[in-house]
């Protein structure tokens, strides 16, 4: 009799799939939607709506990171998706807003000025992409600070500037938006440090409690003033304050470092001068007498 060989059941290959936080990724996708909708609004000439959509994307960007940290489910997929969406919402969308603002009535008929708009938009997007790539590869593990201006802050500054000018019924001046865009693009790829976990430091250190309460009191007054008129009054100055804070803090750290080095050099020099000099021993022949 022939022996019937039973086939062994094929084992399914165990595919290791990394976990994905669906809620955080969905919030990131909503931020991407806001960025795309901002592009459409800028093309139609509705700069105010485009700016508000960029700010809405910032809110979703904050929420998705908070949800991922609260659920302790930060994944590589979420990081990459967040970076891709950030490039669209805070890189491409503000760049198109800059480009569209340069096509307003003030610059029509001026070929040289009209050509600056595409140049600024391209530089802004490229610097934003470089900023995100550098962060993902080299700086994602740094917890205390950001190296370079975060791209949401750069895009938010452009958006709030548009809202600020719209509130005062002024056209978006190319003579202001151009230098602003170049400065923001440079700061994104610079080595200027911006606070990352400063809020935890302020909340957890009791010695800063009274100062923090004073800042809250000032913030409540500013919020009341803005809510009675328009948030655009305080959003742009707030973004500018954040941009300048990183510059001043970096300059102050360099000053403290150079001061410590000078003090250390002076202390080393003083210690060398205070060392007792070795005197020659008396001669055995009696020459020292």
């Amino acid at each position: 009799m022939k022996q019937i060989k039973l086939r062994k059941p094929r084992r399914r290959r165990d595919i290791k799939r990394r976990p994905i936080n669906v809620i955080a990724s969905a919030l990131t996708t909503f931020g991407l939607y806001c960025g795309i909708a901002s592009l459409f609004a800028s093309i139609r000439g509705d700069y105010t709506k485009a700016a508000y959509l960029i700010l809405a994307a910032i809110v979703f960007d904050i929420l998705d990171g908070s949800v991922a940290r609260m659920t302790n489910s930060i994944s590589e997929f979420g990081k990459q998706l967040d970076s891709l969406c950030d490039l669209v919402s805070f890189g491409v969308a503000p760049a198109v807003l800059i480009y569209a603002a340069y096509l307003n009535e003030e610059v029509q008929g001026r070929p040289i000025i009209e050509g600056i708009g595409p140049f600024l938009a391209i530089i802004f997007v490229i610097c934003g992409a470089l900023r995100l790539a550098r962060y993902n590869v080299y700086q994602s593990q740094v917890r205390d600070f950001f190296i370079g201006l975060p791209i949401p802050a750069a895009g938010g500054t452009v958006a709030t500037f548009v809202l600020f000018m719209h509130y005062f019924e002024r056209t978006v001046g190319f003579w202001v938006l151009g230098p602003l865009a170049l400065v923001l693009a440079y700061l994104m790829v610079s080595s200027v440090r911006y606070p990352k976990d400063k809020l935890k430091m302020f909340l957890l250190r009791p010695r800063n409690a009274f100062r923090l309460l004073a800042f809250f009191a000032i913030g409540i007054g500013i919020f009341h003033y803005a809510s009675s008129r328009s948030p655009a009054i305080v959003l742009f100055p707030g973004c500018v304050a954040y941009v300048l804070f990183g510059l001043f803090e970096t300059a102050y750290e360099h000053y403290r470092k150079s001061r410590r080095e000078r003090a250390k050099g002076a202390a080393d020099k003083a210690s060398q001068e205070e060392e007792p000099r070795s005197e020659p021993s008396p001669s055995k022949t009696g020459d020292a007498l």
Side-chain angles (χ1 to χ4, degrees):
M1 296 178 64
K2 294 182 179 181
Q3 295 181 352
I4 301 174
K5 295 182 179 180
L6 299 176
R7 293 182 180 180
K8 295 181 179 180
R10 294 181 180 179
R11 295 181 179 178
R12 295 182 179 179
R13 295 180 180 178
D14 296 332
I15 301 176
K16 295 182 179 180
R17 295 184 179 180
R18 297 180 179 179
I20 298 175
N21 191 323
V22 178
I23 298 177
S25 299
L27 291 172
T28 305
T29 308
F30 272 112
L32 176 61
Y33 159 74
C34 293
I36 297 173
S38 175
L39 293 173
F40 297 154
S42 296
I43 294 172
R44 292 194 305 267
D46 192 352
Y47 303 150
T48 303
K49 183 178 180 181
Y52 274 119
L53 285 169
I54 293 174
L55 296 181
I58 293 177
V59 174
F60 283 113
D61 184 65
I62 296 172
L63 289 176
D64 65 359
S66 301
V67 170
R69 286 188 294 269
M70 288 172 60
T71 57
N72 195 19
S73 57
I74 299 176
S75 63
E76 190 64 25
F77 176 84
K79 291 180 181 179
Q80 300 303 325
L81 179 63
D82 184 72
S83 295
L84 293 173
C85 295
D86 285 355
L87 183 60
V88 175
S89 300
F90 311 124
V92 179
V96 174
L97 184 59
I98 294 170
Y99 173 75
Y102 261 81
L103 297 180
N104 57 23
E105 296 179 357
E106 288 187 4
V107 300
Q108 288 182 358
R110 303 180 185 181
I112 297 177
I113 299 178
E114 287 182 4
I116 298 176
F119 169 77
L120 293 175
I122 292 171
I123 293 298
F124 191 88
V125 175
I126 291 176
C127 290
L130 293 175
R131 166 71 177 82
L132 291 170
R134 183 180 66 176
Y135 175 80
N136 290 340
V137 176
Y138 302 109
Q139 302 166 3
S140 59
Q141 302 301 324
V142 180
R143 299 297 182 185
D144 297 333
F145 51 83
F146 294 107
I147 299 178
L149 180 66
I151 188 171
T157 303
V158 173
T160 54
F161 172 73
V162 173
L163 295 176
F164 188 80
M165 298 300 293
H166 177 75
Y167 174 78
F168 291 102
E169 298 180 353
R170 301 285 183 88
T171 56
V172 181
F174 62 89
W175 51 274
V176 177
L177 185 58
L180 178 65
L182 287 178
V183 170
L184 295 175
Y186 168 75
L187 289 177
M188 283 192 288
V189 296
S190 68
S191 58
V192 178
R193 295 184 177 184
Y194 284 88
K196 190 175 183 180
D197 289 333
K198 288 288 184 180
L199 184 60
K200 293 181 180 179
M201 181 188 70
F202 287 142
L203 293 177
L204 296 178
R205 289 187 179 181
R207 64 179 182 179
N208 293 326
F210 185 78
R211 188 184 306 173
L212 182 62
L213 290 175
F215 282 132
F216 273 135
I218 297 174
I220 291 172
I222 295 174
F223 176 78
H224 175 73
Y225 178 80
S227 61
S228 61
R229 289 170 174 79
S230 174
I233 300 177
V234 294
L235 288 177
F236 178 64
C239 290
V240 173
Y242 180 78
V243 173
L244 295 178
F245 179 81
L247 292 171
F248 284 120
E249 187 179 32
T250 302
Y252 180 68
E253 288 296 330
H254 282 297
Y255 170 73
R256 289 182 59 186
K257 184 178 180 181
S258 62
R259 188 176 180 181
R260 286 195 299 265
E261 290 177 354
R262 288 197 302 266
K264 183 179 179 181
D268 293 341
K269 185 177 180 181
S271 62
Q272 291 177 1
E273 292 178 353
E274 291 178 358
E275 289 181 357
R277 298 181 179 179
S278 58
E279 297 181 356
S281 59
S283 176
K284 293 182 180 180
T285 58
D287 294 340
L289 297 177

